[in-house]
Amino acid sequence: PSRPASIYSQAIHPDRRVPPPNLPPSSQLPIQPTMFAFVSSFAGASLAARPAQAISTRSPSTITMAAGKSKAIPFLEAPPALDGSMVGDAGFDPLYLSNYIDLKYAREGELKNGRIAMLAVLGFIVPSFVHLPGPYFSETRPLAAIGKVPLEGWAQIITVISLIELATFRSHYMEDREPGAFGFDPLGMGKPGAIEKFKLNELKNARLAMIAIMGFILQELVTGQSVVEQLTNFKSLA
């Protein structure tokens, strides 16, 4: 009991000299206080070396991270990697994957999946109105039409997709270029001053299409109807 009292007295009255306590030889000291002092010395050194701006100066009840709140999810801290410099960046990363994944790699994947989803949405709607002649294209429900495709057709589809992936792999993940940029602009719409707007529009529609195609698939699985059939001939689940 006398040892803690001496330490507290010295902390409260630094000008008062407190005689050192009678300690046993160093070989008899318990390991816990020694390890605590060792760890505390490193903790103090790390706090001293930390930049001043990284330490919050606000009251304990309002301590926040230096990055601030996320624009997309105001009750979460903003991911440090999402600084708003990329098109469509609203700070939405509730799992903080941007701390571990390269942003260009993630944007490349987002655009690729989004563009495929936009084509898939059209593929779910158009066959209800227009389809090619022949028994392979007569099915208007997209999921049911998968079984209509012969094995040779699937071999062709997989081969073409594989060749495209092999041909574009290096440009996707190894070359230093803007994600999703292939120079495809046959109408010449990507003029300076307007290109950023079109990039944002594409990204928003791509994200919406990825959500929509999931809804289309689940809807057909549950109701057995295509999207157009569900709109024109509503089938209750009750």
Side-chain angles (χ1 to χ4, degrees):
S2 60
R3 183 183 177 190
S6 301
I7 297 175
Y8 297 148
S9 300
Q10 183 69 20
I12 298 174
H13 305 285
D15 54 342
R16 179 184 302 173
R17 296 181 108 20
V18 179
N22 295 325
L23 297 177
S26 58
S27 60
Q28 299 179 14
L29 285 174
I31 186 64
Q32 292 86 353
T34 307
M35 290 301 297
F36 179 77
F38 179 75
V39 174
S40 300
S41 64
F42 278 96
S46 63
L47 287 174
R50 187 178 301 178
Q53 60 270 23
I55 303 176
S56 176
T57 57
R58 305 178 67 177
S59 61
S61 60
T62 58
I63 293 178
T64 58
M65 292 178 62
K69 296 296 182 180
S70 169
K71 181 180 178 181
I73 313 177
F75 55 86
L76 292 181
E77 302 295 342
L82 301 182
D83 56 0
S85 58
M86 298 184 73
V87 175
D89 177 11
F92 182 81
D93 186 14
L95 299 180
Y96 297 95
L97 297 178
S98 58
N99 294 340
Y100 311 99
I101 301 177
D102 181 73
L103 291 183
K104 288 187 176 181
Y105 178 89
R107 175 54 57 87
E108 189 78 49
E110 182 182 28
L111 285 172
K112 177 182 287 189
N113 285 279
R115 289 166 178 172
I116 293 174
M118 288 189 282
L119 293 174
V121 167
L122 287 176
F124 260 69
I125 297 175
V126 171
S128 297
F129 302 98
V130 179
H131 57 82
L132 298 175
Y136 298 139
F137 309 103
S138 59
E139 181 61 63
T140 59
R141 292 175 298 163
L143 296 184
I146 294 177
K148 296 279 187 177
V149 180
L151 183 61
E152 296 81 1
W154 278 113
Q156 294 176 11
I157 295 172
I158 295 174
T159 300
V160 172
I161 293 175
S162 300
L163 290 175
I164 293 175
E165 287 294 321
L166 289 174
T168 58
F169 178 83
R170 186 175 185 85
S171 63
H172 282 350
Y173 309 114
M174 297 182 182
E175 295 180 359
D176 186 15
R177 64 169 182 82
E178 183 181 359
F182 295 97
F184 180 78
D185 187 15
L187 301 179
M189 301 178 64
K191 299 178 180 178
I195 187 65
E196 296 301 323
K197 176 184 177 182
F198 290 133
K199 289 179 181 178
L200 181 60
N201 290 344
E202 180 190 30
L203 195 59
K204 287 183 176 181
N205 284 280
R207 291 168 175 172
L208 178 61
M210 286 188 283
I211 298 174
I213 195 62
M214 292 175 62
F216 286 5
I217 293 173
L218 292 175
Q219 183 178 5
E220 185 174 338
L221 288 174
V222 173
T223 65
Q225 293 179 315
S226 66
V227 177
V228 177
E229 287 177 328
Q230 184 75 356
L231 288 174
T232 58
N233 184 22
F234 178 73
K235 181 179 179 181
S236 176
L237 297 178

